[in-house]
Amino acid sequence: MSGAALGLEIVFVFFLALFLLHRYGDFKKQHRLVIIATLLAWYLCFLIVFILPLDVSTTIYNRCKLAVNSSPAETNGSFVTLAPSKQKCFKPWSYIPNGIMPIFWRVVYWTSQFLTWILLPFMQSYARSGGFSITGKIKTALIENAIYYGTYLLIFGAFLIYVAVNPKFNLQWNQLQTIGIAAANTWGLFLLVLLLGYGLVEIPRSHWNGAKRGYLLMKTYFKAAKLMTEKADAEENLEDIMEEVRKVSESIKYNHPLRKCVDTILKKCPTEYQERMGRNMDDYEDFDERQNSYPSEKSLVKLHKQVIYSVQRHRRTQVQWQILLEQAFYLEDVAKNETSATRQFVHTFQSQEPENKIIQYFYTPTIEWYWECLLRPWFYRVLAVVLATFSVIVVWSECTFFSTRPVLSLFAVFIQLAEKTYNYIYIEMACFLTIFFLSICVYSTVFRIRVFNYYYLASHHQTDAYSLLFSGMLFCRLTPPLCLNFLGLTHMDATISHRDAQPTAYTSIMGSMKVLSFIADGFYIYYPMLVVILCIATYFSLGTRCLNLLGFQQFMGDSEMTSDLIDEGKELIRREKRKRQRQEEGENRRREWKERYGNREDSTRNRVVHTEQKESSFSETNTNRTLSKYTRTNGRTERDRIELLQDAEPLDFNADSINDDPLESDSGRYQPGGRYLSMSRSRIFEDV
């Protein structure tokens, strides 16, 4: 049972990371290396969050064993209460044997650091490069990352010089490793506090506002107006890029050396543009290098990069517009059904995707009405209060976790109370809920932020490779300082608690931060207090107001620009609603017409087909008979029979000569000195 918990969590976290990546990425269109690298980064970060509570419970058990095995004379003050005469150690159900966790953390940590500092930045530049060959993309990626790697080498060199100049320290490999870890954690902690301060306020507030139907509907109208502007801009940008591609495709002909590059660009264009360019292109015209000026390979690389970006952006805005329409229609349905006397939820439009039969059986219109109109608002309010309580506890603990006597951090108080009774299930649940809430506050901010159009995690498989790799980099850089901050809040870090106790396996691989005392005793302790200022700024929406002043429209209830965008979005949703209603009415009329007159049309069509078959068979029979009559034969009997037909055919009496044998002249042939002869019977039956 000791390794079962670890194995189950490893498998569960893998499928969790795979599910989230499938929601945001596109397994069919994106490169496999991008998917694998992003999945590995997300998986390792989620794995650290889920496995760390097991490390805490195992460490508490090991401390108990160490205290029991030691004599009272050799026991320090903190271990006196754990003497064998007074306490007895109980092995936790999720105990992990010694030696496994240090190796596990070492592999996970250094793999994530290799991903975030070396591999993912390189793959990010490689994926966004517009090169036409692997060598060209690698060259571009190396050039773009030269400044990136140089900056971090400069920071590491500064720490290295500080340690070398200080006479108290001797440069050893363990100390150099600690300096590198401290530099990475310092950068991560700086960004962690910024994201955490936003998430601690915004997550409870978003759930509280989720209970307000009018608020959500107004915000959806606001998003619709902004998204329509972005959608129009994306379409215009795509048209301009496709016009440049068309000009390049017409100028570079089939035998030009750069034609392969143009074909590669054309493959990235939408299908309708490819067909349009293919109709207007004449590849059989040779190029003349002297008379015409052709674009260079460098300009084609730039054009290729622009095509990839514009096509991805256009596709993303189209999908997001359809999703936003469904959300707006559903919120309007909820507002209408709140006053329904029948208490059954009625949808304006049926879902375009087929629903699961099991869900349809249990989630009836009556249950849907009670959930959407009555229970869901109250559920969101209760959840918002619980999340707000957690946020207050986190802010208090971040400001007081450095105090050990008395212990002011509430998370540390909870863990120490459970440690006295060795309630390992409570310890693991408390640790998991704490670190899970911290992770939600940080990771949700990563999923929400948007750096113009360069970084944007869009659901429904609309995230590009650059944003996926960038999110993997952020997760790998934020997770280690997040775990260290959690261990500090619970006083499981010996550097914070100042206890001579066995450290956790995760803390042991980080090394002793005493090498850099100004970081261990200063930055790591006092910088997290800034979360209070960030929470206050987020509560009063100072960042939103600043962005609104800079020209980036944000949703603010007291802004005139917000009201104008809400009215514009409402008109856009109303227009799309009328358009969809007309489409559904047309489909219903066609369906009713088919149901009412479908059988008659089928019977009439069968009758017409049967009549045509009879007439065609009759025509074929007469034609065969005529051909058999007019076939040239050497027999006298057949010639006599044909001669009898001459009396029944009108003859041309103005002709100078008449052929006795009608088979020697074709029917309808013009005779010299006369008019056209009459047509044969085979021509007469051709009109039937």
Short mmCIF file of all heavy atoms in Angstrom, two decimals, residues 266-302:
data_model
loop_
_atom_site.label_atom_id
_atom_site.label_comp_id
_atom_site.label_asym_id
_atom_site.label_seq_id
_atom_site.Cartn_x
_atom_site.Cartn_y
_atom_site.Cartn_z
N LEU A 266 1.81 28.48 -49.60
CA LEU A 266 0.45 28.25 -50.07
C LEU A 266 -0.24 27.14 -49.29
O LEU A 266 -1.47 27.17 -49.10
CB LEU A 266 0.46 27.92 -51.56
CG LEU A 266 0.82 29.07 -52.51
CD1 LEU A 266 0.91 28.56 -53.94
CD2 LEU A 266 -0.21 30.18 -52.41
N LYS A 267 0.52 26.13 -48.85
CA LYS A 267 -0.08 25.04 -48.09
C LYS A 267 -0.60 25.52 -46.73
O LYS A 267 -1.52 24.90 -46.18
CB LYS A 267 0.94 23.93 -47.89
CG LYS A 267 1.30 23.18 -49.16
CD LYS A 267 2.34 22.11 -48.88
CE LYS A 267 2.73 21.40 -50.16
NZ LYS A 267 3.78 20.36 -49.91
N LYS A 268 -0.03 26.59 -46.21
CA LYS A 268 -0.49 27.12 -44.91
C LYS A 268 -1.70 28.04 -45.05
O LYS A 268 -2.31 28.40 -44.05
CB LYS A 268 0.66 27.91 -44.25
CG LYS A 268 1.93 27.10 -44.04
CD LYS A 268 1.74 25.97 -43.07
CE LYS A 268 3.00 25.14 -42.93
NZ LYS A 268 4.14 25.91 -42.42
N CYS A 269 -2.05 28.41 -46.27
CA CYS A 269 -3.19 29.31 -46.48
C CYS A 269 -4.49 28.54 -46.38
O CYS A 269 -4.53 27.32 -46.58
CB CYS A 269 -3.08 29.98 -47.85
SG CYS A 269 -1.61 31.01 -48.06
N PRO A 270 -5.62 29.21 -46.08
CA PRO A 270 -6.92 28.55 -46.09
C PRO A 270 -7.26 27.98 -47.46
O PRO A 270 -6.74 28.41 -48.49
CB PRO A 270 -7.89 29.67 -45.69
CG PRO A 270 -7.06 30.64 -44.94
CD PRO A 270 -5.70 30.60 -45.57
N THR A 271 -8.15 27.01 -47.47
CA THR A 271 -8.46 26.29 -48.70
C THR A 271 -9.07 27.20 -49.76
O THR A 271 -8.72 27.10 -50.95
CB THR A 271 -9.44 25.14 -48.40
OG1 THR A 271 -8.91 24.34 -47.34
CG2 THR A 271 -9.64 24.27 -49.62
N GLU A 272 -9.97 28.10 -49.37
CA GLU A 272 -10.61 28.96 -50.37
C GLU A 272 -9.60 29.88 -51.05
O GLU A 272 -9.71 30.15 -52.26
CB GLU A 272 -11.72 29.78 -49.73
CG GLU A 272 -11.30 30.68 -48.57
CD GLU A 272 -11.36 29.97 -47.24
OE1 GLU A 272 -11.45 28.73 -47.24
OE2 GLU A 272 -11.31 30.67 -46.21
N TYR A 273 -8.60 30.34 -50.31
CA TYR A 273 -7.57 31.18 -50.92
C TYR A 273 -6.65 30.37 -51.82
O TYR A 273 -6.20 30.86 -52.86
CB TYR A 273 -6.76 31.88 -49.83
CG TYR A 273 -7.53 32.94 -49.09
CD1 TYR A 273 -8.10 32.68 -47.85
CD2 TYR A 273 -7.70 34.21 -49.62
CE1 TYR A 273 -8.81 33.65 -47.17
CE2 TYR A 273 -8.40 35.19 -48.94
CZ TYR A 273 -8.96 34.90 -47.72
OH TYR A 273 -9.67 35.87 -47.05
N GLN A 274 -6.39 29.12 -51.47
CA GLN A 274 -5.57 28.28 -52.33
C GLN A 274 -6.25 28.04 -53.67
O GLN A 274 -5.61 28.10 -54.73
CB GLN A 274 -5.30 26.94 -51.64
CG GLN A 274 -4.42 27.05 -50.40
CD GLN A 274 -4.14 25.68 -49.79
OE1 GLN A 274 -4.31 24.65 -50.43
NE2 GLN A 274 -3.72 25.68 -48.54
N GLU A 275 -7.56 27.76 -53.64
CA GLU A 275 -8.29 27.55 -54.89
C GLU A 275 -8.33 28.82 -55.73
O GLU A 275 -8.20 28.76 -56.96
CB GLU A 275 -9.70 27.07 -54.57
CG GLU A 275 -9.75 25.71 -53.87
CD GLU A 275 -11.15 25.33 -53.48
OE1 GLU A 275 -12.07 26.18 -53.65
OE2 GLU A 275 -11.35 24.19 -53.01
N ARG A 276 -8.51 29.96 -55.08
CA ARG A 276 -8.56 31.22 -55.82
C ARG A 276 -7.22 31.54 -56.47
O ARG A 276 -7.16 31.98 -57.62
CB ARG A 276 -8.97 32.34 -54.87
CG ARG A 276 -9.33 33.64 -55.56
CD ARG A 276 -9.61 34.71 -54.52
NE ARG A 276 -10.57 34.26 -53.53
CZ ARG A 276 -10.87 34.95 -52.44
NH1 ARG A 276 -10.25 36.10 -52.19
NH2 ARG A 276 -11.76 34.49 -51.59
N MET A 277 -6.13 31.30 -55.78
CA MET A 277 -4.81 31.56 -56.34
C MET A 277 -4.46 30.55 -57.42
O MET A 277 -3.78 30.87 -58.39
CB MET A 277 -3.76 31.51 -55.24
CG MET A 277 -3.90 32.61 -54.20
SD MET A 277 -2.72 32.43 -52.86
CE MET A 277 -3.36 33.62 -51.69
N GLY A 278 -4.94 29.30 -57.27
CA GLY A 278 -4.65 28.30 -58.28
C GLY A 278 -5.32 28.58 -59.60
O GLY A 278 -4.78 28.26 -60.67
N ARG A 279 -6.51 29.21 -59.58
CA ARG A 279 -7.20 29.53 -60.84
C ARG A 279 -6.54 30.67 -61.58
O ARG A 279 -6.57 30.72 -62.81
CB ARG A 279 -8.66 29.89 -60.54
CG ARG A 279 -9.50 28.71 -60.08
CD ARG A 279 -10.96 29.06 -60.12
NE ARG A 279 -11.28 30.18 -59.25
CZ ARG A 279 -11.73 30.05 -58.01
NH1 ARG A 279 -11.90 28.84 -57.49
NH2 ARG A 279 -12.01 31.11 -57.27
N ASN A 280 -5.94 31.59 -60.85
CA ASN A 280 -5.37 32.78 -61.48
C ASN A 280 -3.88 32.65 -61.80
O ASN A 280 -3.25 33.63 -62.19
CB ASN A 280 -5.56 33.99 -60.56
CG ASN A 280 -7.02 34.29 -60.31
OD1 ASN A 280 -7.87 34.01 -61.16
ND2 ASN A 280 -7.32 34.84 -59.15
N MET A 281 -3.31 31.47 -61.63
CA MET A 281 -1.87 31.31 -61.81
C MET A 281 -1.58 30.55 -63.08
O MET A 281 -2.24 29.55 -63.38
CB MET A 281 -1.28 30.58 -60.60
CG MET A 281 0.22 30.52 -60.63
SD MET A 281 0.88 29.75 -59.14
CE MET A 281 0.17 28.11 -59.30
N ASP A 282 -0.60 31.04 -63.83
CA ASP A 282 -0.14 30.39 -65.05
C ASP A 282 1.29 29.95 -64.83
O ASP A 282 2.23 30.74 -64.88
CB ASP A 282 -0.23 31.35 -66.25
CG ASP A 282 0.14 30.65 -67.56
OD1 ASP A 282 0.23 29.41 -67.55
OD2 ASP A 282 0.32 31.36 -68.56
N ASP A 283 1.45 28.67 -64.55
CA ASP A 283 2.77 28.15 -64.23
C ASP A 283 3.59 27.82 -65.48
O ASP A 283 4.75 27.43 -65.35
CB ASP A 283 2.65 26.88 -63.38
CG ASP A 283 2.54 27.23 -61.91
OD1 ASP A 283 2.78 28.40 -61.59
OD2 ASP A 283 2.22 26.34 -61.10
N TYR A 284 3.01 27.95 -66.64
CA TYR A 284 3.75 27.58 -67.85
C TYR A 284 4.54 28.74 -68.43
O TYR A 284 5.17 28.62 -69.46
CB TYR A 284 2.77 27.04 -68.91
CG TYR A 284 2.13 25.77 -68.47
CD1 TYR A 284 0.85 25.78 -67.91
CD2 TYR A 284 2.81 24.56 -68.57
CE1 TYR A 284 0.26 24.60 -67.50
CE2 TYR A 284 2.21 23.37 -68.15
CZ TYR A 284 0.93 23.40 -67.62
OH TYR A 284 0.35 22.24 -67.20
N GLU A 285 4.49 29.86 -67.76
CA GLU A 285 5.24 31.03 -68.21
C GLU A 285 6.60 31.05 -67.53
O GLU A 285 6.70 30.98 -66.30
CB GLU A 285 4.46 32.31 -67.86
CG GLU A 285 5.18 33.57 -68.32
CD GLU A 285 4.41 34.82 -67.94
OE1 GLU A 285 3.28 34.66 -67.43
OE2 GLU A 285 4.93 35.92 -68.15
N ASP A 286 7.64 31.11 -68.30
CA ASP A 286 8.99 31.12 -67.76
C ASP A 286 9.29 32.47 -67.12
O ASP A 286 8.73 33.49 -67.50
CB ASP A 286 10.02 30.83 -68.85
CG ASP A 286 9.88 29.41 -69.39
OD1 ASP A 286 9.33 28.58 -68.65
OD2 ASP A 286 10.30 29.16 -70.53
N PHE A 287 10.18 32.44 -66.13
CA PHE A 287 10.57 33.68 -65.48
C PHE A 287 11.80 34.24 -66.15
O PHE A 287 12.63 33.51 -66.68
CB PHE A 287 10.82 33.45 -63.99
CG PHE A 287 12.12 32.78 -63.68
CD1 PHE A 287 13.25 33.51 -63.36
CD2 PHE A 287 12.23 31.39 -63.73
CE1 PHE A 287 14.44 32.89 -63.07
CE2 PHE A 287 13.42 30.76 -63.44
CZ PHE A 287 14.54 31.51 -63.11
N ASP A 288 11.89 35.54 -66.14
CA ASP A 288 13.03 36.24 -66.71
C ASP A 288 13.70 37.02 -65.59
O ASP A 288 13.17 37.99 -65.07
CB ASP A 288 12.57 37.20 -67.82
CG ASP A 288 13.76 37.77 -68.59
OD1 ASP A 288 14.92 37.45 -68.21
OD2 ASP A 288 13.54 38.53 -69.54
N GLU A 289 14.86 36.53 -65.19
CA GLU A 289 15.54 37.12 -64.04
C GLU A 289 16.03 38.52 -64.34
O GLU A 289 16.24 39.32 -63.43
CB GLU A 289 16.69 36.21 -63.64
CG GLU A 289 17.30 36.56 -62.31
CD GLU A 289 18.31 35.53 -61.86
OE1 GLU A 289 18.49 34.54 -62.58
OE2 GLU A 289 18.92 35.74 -60.80
N ARG A 290 16.22 38.86 -65.56
CA ARG A 290 16.74 40.20 -65.90
C ARG A 290 15.65 41.26 -65.85
O ARG A 290 15.87 42.38 -65.41
CB ARG A 290 17.37 40.17 -67.29
CG ARG A 290 18.55 39.19 -67.39
CD ARG A 290 19.10 39.18 -68.80
NE ARG A 290 20.23 38.25 -68.92
CZ ARG A 290 20.86 38.01 -70.07
NH1 ARG A 290 20.46 38.62 -71.19
NH2 ARG A 290 21.87 37.16 -70.09
N GLN A 291 14.44 40.90 -66.34
CA GLN A 291 13.39 41.90 -66.47
C GLN A 291 12.60 42.11 -65.18
O GLN A 291 12.21 43.22 -64.86
CB GLN A 291 12.43 41.49 -67.60
CG GLN A 291 13.10 41.46 -68.96
CD GLN A 291 12.13 41.05 -70.05
OE1 GLN A 291 10.96 40.80 -69.78
NE2 GLN A 291 12.61 40.98 -71.29
N ASN A 292 12.32 41.04 -64.43
CA ASN A 292 11.47 41.14 -63.24
C ASN A 292 12.32 41.12 -61.97
O ASN A 292 13.39 40.51 -61.93
CB ASN A 292 10.47 39.98 -63.21
CG ASN A 292 9.55 40.02 -64.41
OD1 ASN A 292 9.23 41.08 -64.92
ND2 ASN A 292 9.12 38.84 -64.87
N SER A 293 11.80 41.79 -60.94
CA SER A 293 12.45 41.77 -59.63
C SER A 293 11.68 40.82 -58.73
O SER A 293 10.46 40.97 -58.56
CB SER A 293 12.47 43.18 -59.02
OG SER A 293 11.16 43.67 -58.88
N TYR A 294 12.34 39.84 -58.15
CA TYR A 294 11.71 38.80 -57.35
C TYR A 294 12.06 38.99 -55.88
O TYR A 294 13.13 39.50 -55.54
CB TYR A 294 12.18 37.41 -57.82
CG TYR A 294 11.81 37.13 -59.25
CD1 TYR A 294 12.73 37.32 -60.28
CD2 TYR A 294 10.54 36.66 -59.58
CE1 TYR A 294 12.40 37.07 -61.59
CE2 TYR A 294 10.20 36.40 -60.90
CZ TYR A 294 11.13 36.61 -61.90
OH TYR A 294 10.79 36.35 -63.20
N PRO A 295 11.15 38.58 -54.99
CA PRO A 295 11.44 38.70 -53.55
C PRO A 295 12.56 37.77 -53.15
O PRO A 295 12.76 36.70 -53.74
CB PRO A 295 10.11 38.32 -52.89
CG PRO A 295 9.39 37.49 -53.91
CD PRO A 295 9.80 38.03 -55.24
N SER A 296 13.26 38.16 -52.11
CA SER A 296 14.37 37.36 -51.62
C SER A 296 13.85 36.26 -50.68
O SER A 296 12.69 36.26 -50.26
CB SER A 296 15.38 38.24 -50.89
OG SER A 296 14.76 38.87 -49.78
N GLU A 297 14.73 35.34 -50.34
CA GLU A 297 14.35 34.26 -49.43
C GLU A 297 14.05 34.80 -48.03
O GLU A 297 13.17 34.28 -47.33
CB GLU A 297 15.47 33.22 -49.37
CG GLU A 297 15.11 32.00 -48.54
CD GLU A 297 16.21 30.95 -48.57
OE1 GLU A 297 17.22 31.19 -49.26
OE2 GLU A 297 16.04 29.91 -47.92
N LYS A 298 14.75 35.85 -47.64
CA LYS A 298 14.51 36.44 -46.32
C LYS A 298 13.11 37.04 -46.24
O LYS A 298 12.42 36.91 -45.22
CB LYS A 298 15.56 37.52 -46.06
CG LYS A 298 15.51 38.09 -44.66
CD LYS A 298 16.64 39.08 -44.43
CE LYS A 298 16.61 39.65 -43.02
NZ LYS A 298 17.71 40.62 -42.80
N SER A 299 12.67 37.68 -47.31
CA SER A 299 11.32 38.25 -47.32
C SER A 299 10.26 37.14 -47.34
O SER A 299 9.19 37.29 -46.75
CB SER A 299 11.14 39.16 -48.52
OG SER A 299 11.30 38.44 -49.73
N LEU A 300 10.56 36.00 -47.99
CA LEU A 300 9.62 34.88 -47.98
C LEU A 300 9.52 34.25 -46.60
O LEU A 300 8.44 33.81 -46.19
CB LEU A 300 10.06 33.83 -49.01
CG LEU A 300 9.93 34.22 -50.48
CD1 LEU A 300 10.40 33.09 -51.37
CD2 LEU A 300 8.49 34.60 -50.83
N VAL A 301 10.64 34.21 -45.89
CA VAL A 301 10.61 33.70 -44.51
C VAL A 301 9.72 34.59 -43.64
O VAL A 301 8.91 34.10 -42.84
CB VAL A 301 12.04 33.63 -43.94
CG1 VAL A 301 12.00 33.37 -42.44
CG2 VAL A 301 12.84 32.55 -44.64
N LYS A 302 9.84 35.89 -43.80
CA LYS A 302 9.00 36.82 -43.05
C LYS A 302 7.53 36.66 -43.43
O LYS A 302 6.64 36.67 -42.56
CB LYS A 302 9.47 38.24 -43.31
CG LYS A 302 8.71 39.30 -42.52
CD LYS A 302 9.25 40.70 -42.81
CE LYS A 302 8.47 41.75 -42.04
NZ LYS A 302 8.98 43.12 -42.34
#
